[in-house]
Amino acid sequence: MISLFLDTCTSHLLLGIYKDKKQILWKDEEVHNDLSSKTLPLIKNSLDELGISITDLDEIYVVNGPGSFTGIRVGVTIAKTIAWALNIKIYSVSELELLATTKVDTNYIIPMIDARRGYVYGGIYDKDGNSIVNDQYIEKNE
């Protein structure tokens, strides 16, 4: 089973390719205003580097925010288009859920992303990655 992971929600374009749930390639490219012109070539070049065709993909994981609105639209649109064209499964992952997978020695993980204008996106997860408090838009004073 070959999986594609795509995160375009921040100023970094993250791309992973996994075979049987084991990472075989990881790319982290800083992007500014050229995300839409870099994403498809990075996917193609990464697959070529591994000698894998896009038709070999079995599933796609895409981060659906919170984050850059334009970045989310670019990543989700590309992921949905590939999944639709190949008739494969697509899974969405929250950026906060992804941040909560960080290995730390604590019972709870509280990922937060600055939403600007006095707000954050945040949630609370236990050490096993289970959501305790759903991701939400929170005023910093709260």
Side-chain angles (χ1 to χ4, degrees):
M1 166 122 7
I2 298 176
S3 308
L4 171 69
F5 170 83
L6 188 60
D7 181 354
T8 57
C9 294
T10 68
S11 61
H12 286 256
L13 167 56
L14 305 176
L15 181 141
I17 299 176
Y18 297 79
K19 184 171 185 175
D20 300 325
K21 305 294 181 192
K22 292 186 175 142
Q23 183 179 305
I24 57 174
L25 181 133
W26 183 257
K27 301 281 183 168
D28 177 345
E29 295 210 3
E30 189 168 356
V31 292
H32 296 285
N33 295 328
D34 52 353
L35 176 67
S36 59
S37 65
K38 285 190 172 185
T39 306
L40 284 172
L42 183 64
I43 293 170
K44 182 187 180 325
N45 294 339
S46 297
L47 292 170
D48 289 349
E49 183 178 326
L50 295 170
I52 296 172
S53 168
I54 197 160
T55 58
D56 294 329
L57 294 177
D58 297 299
E59 60 187 9
I60 298 175
Y61 292 84
V62 63
V63 178
N64 65 349
S68 158
F69 182 69
T70 300
I72 294 166
R73 290 186 311 165
V74 168
V76 169
T77 299
I78 289 171
K80 285 180 73 174
T81 302
I82 293 170
W84 177 81
L86 299 177
N87 195 28
I88 61 176
K89 291 184 179 182
I90 184 170
Y91 302 95
S92 63
V93 179
S94 109
E95 187 77 29
L96 295 170
E97 182 180 2
L98 186 63
L99 290 171
T101 64
T102 303
K103 298 295 180 201
V104 292
D105 187 22
T106 183
N107 289 330
Y108 298 99
I109 300 171
I110 306 171
M112 285 190 219
I113 298 172
D114 186 7
R116 300 189 181 122
R117 297 189 176 118
Y119 287 84
V120 295
Y121 298 107
I124 300 176
Y125 294 80
D126 68 15
K127 63 183 176 184
D128 297 320
N130 300 309
S131 178
I132 303 299
V133 174
N134 290 334
D135 297 352
Q136 52 191 283
Y137 185 66
I138 308 165
E139 188 173 6
K140 284 183 184 178
N141 293 337
E142 290 180 33

